[in-house]
Amino acid sequence: PVLKNANTLSFSQIEKSIADMVTKTKTKSLTIDDLTGGTFTITNGGVFGSMFSTPILNHPQVGILGMHTIKKKPVVIETKQGDTIGIRSMMFLSIGFDHRLVDGAGGAKFVETVQKNLENMDLEHLF
């Protein structure tokens, strides 16, 4: 299903819209309009335990972001006092996009922006 005009919605509005789409899906009341008009897809293979995959773009959409399972991993933590190794919850992201519309640098920059937003999200003021 397509969440229309997602760029104009708050996080809580997006959450409500997704819940509405889930209800429509379960009650088999989705319409053609609910399934068309998308420009970008977010897919979450992580709910099935996927560590990494390459999502396939649905034409005529411009891009698709793959979000994968979150697992605790040892990582290098850089500080002013020096590097240390710690355990952090980590998730791989992958992106597929139409190279006729987006170049590789733009796609990589987008994933970097998503990463920074996820790492610095203020959950207390999200709603």
Side-chain angles (χ1 to χ4, degrees):
V2 176
L3 180 58
K4 308 265 197 257
N5 302 310
N7 61 315
T8 65
L9 302 176
S10 69
F11 188 82
S12 59
Q13 290 170 320
I14 289 172
E15 187 176 42
K16 182 185 179 325
S17 297
I18 290 171
D20 291 345
M21 286 293 183
V22 168
T23 299
K24 287 175 97 173
T25 301
K26 288 180 178 179
T27 61
K28 300 182 180 181
S29 60
L30 287 172
T31 66
I32 292 295
D33 187 56
D34 293 326
L35 301 172
T36 59
T39 56
F40 191 87
T41 295
I42 299 173
T43 184
N44 183 5
V47 298
F48 303 110
S50 166
M51 286 295 295
F52 196 84
S53 65
T54 305
I56 302 298
L57 187 64
N58 297 316
H59 182 75
Q61 295 187 4
V62 175
I64 184 167
L65 176 70
M67 302 176 78
H68 306 285
T69 198
I70 299 171
K71 295 251 185 198
K72 290 187 183 266
K73 301 274 184 194
V75 295
V76 175
I77 302 167
E78 298 176 23
T79 69
K80 292 178 183 176
Q81 294 77 29
D83 295 344
T84 184
I85 295 177
I87 296 174
R88 296 289 186 266
S89 294
M90 304 295 292
M91 174 181 69
F92 287 106
L93 298 173
S94 56
I95 189 163
F97 49 89
D98 188 336
H99 276 280
R100 296 170 293 180
L101 302 168
V102 179
D103 68 17
K109 186 69 176 165
F110 174 76
V111 171
E112 179 185 33
T113 300
V114 170
Q115 173 193 346
K116 287 184 192 296
N117 286 333
L118 288 171
E119 289 175 348
N120 298 304
M121 187 179 298
D122 181 3
L123 296 175
E124 290 182 25
H125 297 96
L126 196 57
F127 297 93

